[in-house]
Amino acid sequence: MPVADVMSLEGKKVGQIELADDVFGVKVNQNLLHEAVRHYLAGRHAGTHKTKDKSEVSGSGRKLWKQKGTGRARIGSVRSPLWRHGGTVHGPTPRSYDYALPKKMILGALRSALSAKLADAKLTIVDGWKLESHKTKPFSQALGKLNKETRTILLVENGTNLNLERASRNIEGVTLVPATGLEPYDLMRHEHLMLSREAAAKLSRALSATKPETPVQIEPAPPAAEKKPSEAKAEKAEARAPAKASAARPAKKAAEAKGKTKSKPKAKKG
């Protein structure tokens, strides 16, 4: 498994972290990277272009002169595409340029981009973006201690960090994205990548193909409270009472039916 150094904001090494081999150590696939960038840019295309055709430009719809006998070219309207200020034929219309790309290809391109950054030594893992204030100057000085060579830096943080967001948005060439919104296009557009320790661990877990299964912790049921003898006897008596009442009802009904049959007078003969 690839191992990377963990740096503090003062530029000192404070430890190491193991990264997933199938996320930060795969072979770079140039075709996947090209297709992922093409798909991302196509999704960002606004597609709001529009031209007017013959039915939308202003102008009368009457025929300018008769079809035959004038010696001139036949014409039906001043809005014809052949004339100045006429309509446009087969012009662009508003549409979406986005298209579907398999999720496995996007994840594969993301793994390739992360592996390329680590292989080119353009990946820095920071212990944490714990800033005391939202001022740009001290944060810019901290970035200079971490990396002085590159001018375009991509920062990745796990979760929201208001001070980091405000301190980094005024620095040219520095972009902050969350770990859940990381795109291959952002990785290729910036020369250097800086991850927080939590973001690196989250990417290793989320993008790894062999995710370890976490066992489900099943807690035992709480022991039942012991009841007093008097309470137990009362519960038994309540359980027996409905049974006795239900047994007495059929006997009572049978006695009532027997009494009715005896009280009926017999019919006289003849």
Side-chain angles (χ1 to χ4, degrees):
M1 297 179 69
V3 179
D5 296 335
V6 180
M7 309 295 292
S8 65
L9 291 178
E10 288 76 20
K12 299 179 181 179
K13 179 181 175 182
V14 295
Q16 289 183 333
I17 184 174
E18 290 186 354
L19 303 174
D21 192 23
D22 56 348
V23 177
F24 291 88
V26 300
K27 184 180 178 181
V28 179
N29 191 329
Q30 299 289 344
N31 295 330
L32 273 182
L33 291 173
H34 171 76
E35 192 62 34
V37 171
R38 182 172 172 267
H39 172 261
Y40 180 79
L41 293 178
R44 290 182 57 183
H45 201 150
T48 55
H49 38 42
K50 176 70 173 71
T51 58
K52 294 183 178 181
D53 58 13
K54 183 179 178 180
S55 63
E56 295 173 329
V57 296
S58 60
S60 173
R62 75 178 184 87
K63 191 173 177 62
L64 299 180
W65 50 79
K66 62 180 183 178
Q67 182 80 352
K68 295 178 179 296
T70 62
R72 305 181 67 180
R74 48 195 173 184
I75 190 68
S77 171
V78 294
R79 297 180 295 176
S80 171
L82 302 177
W83 281 43
R84 186 170 176 264
H85 300 303
T88 302
V89 182
H90 305 303
T93 57
R95 68 185 183 93
S96 174
Y97 284 86
D98 194 12
Y99 61 93
L101 189 68
K103 187 177 180 180
K104 289 184 177 181
M105 294 182 66
I106 299 177
L107 296 179
L110 198 55
R111 296 187 189 104
S112 294
L114 291 173
S115 301
K117 291 295 182 185
L118 183 61
D120 297 340
K122 295 181 179 179
L123 172 64
T124 302
I125 297 180
V126 185
D127 189 23
W129 300 108
K130 299 177 182 178
L131 305 178
E132 297 179 356
S133 67
H134 62 280
K135 298 295 184 180
T136 302
K137 186 175 180 180
F139 178 68
S140 180
Q141 294 173 354
L143 287 181
K145 295 177 182 179
L146 292 171
N147 183 20
K148 299 180 181 179
E149 300 175 357
T150 57
R151 300 182 62 181
T152 56
I153 302 174
L154 179 65
L155 309 177
V156 182
E157 171 66 325
N158 186 24
T160 57
N161 190 336
L162 191 59
N163 284 342
L164 177 62
E165 181 181 351
R166 291 178 175 177
S168 62
R169 64 187 178 184
N170 291 330
I171 305 177
E172 184 180 1
V174 177
T175 306
L176 173 65
V177 296
T180 55
L182 188 61
E183 292 285 345
Y185 175 77
D186 295 329
L187 291 170
M188 298 185 66
R189 193 167 65 93
H190 295 81
E191 189 175 355
H192 199 88
L193 173 65
M194 290 188 182
L195 300 170
S196 63
R197 184 197 291 266
E198 293 79 8
K202 185 172 184 178
L203 289 174
S204 295
R205 291 193 305 268
L207 298 178
S208 178
T210 58
K211 298 179 181 178
E213 296 182 0
T214 56
V216 180
Q217 300 294 334
I218 302 177
E219 298 181 358
E226 296 182 358
K227 298 180 180 180
K228 296 180 180 179
S230 58
E231 294 178 356
K233 289 181 180 180
E235 289 183 358
K236 289 182 180 179
E238 290 178 359
R240 289 175 182 173
K244 289 181 179 179
S246 60
R249 286 172 187 170
K252 187 177 180 182
K253 289 182 180 180
E256 291 177 356
K258 189 175 181 181
K260 288 180 180 180
T261 53
K262 287 183 178 181
S263 62
K264 285 182 180 182
K266 292 183 180 180
K268 294 181 179 182
K269 296 181 179 180

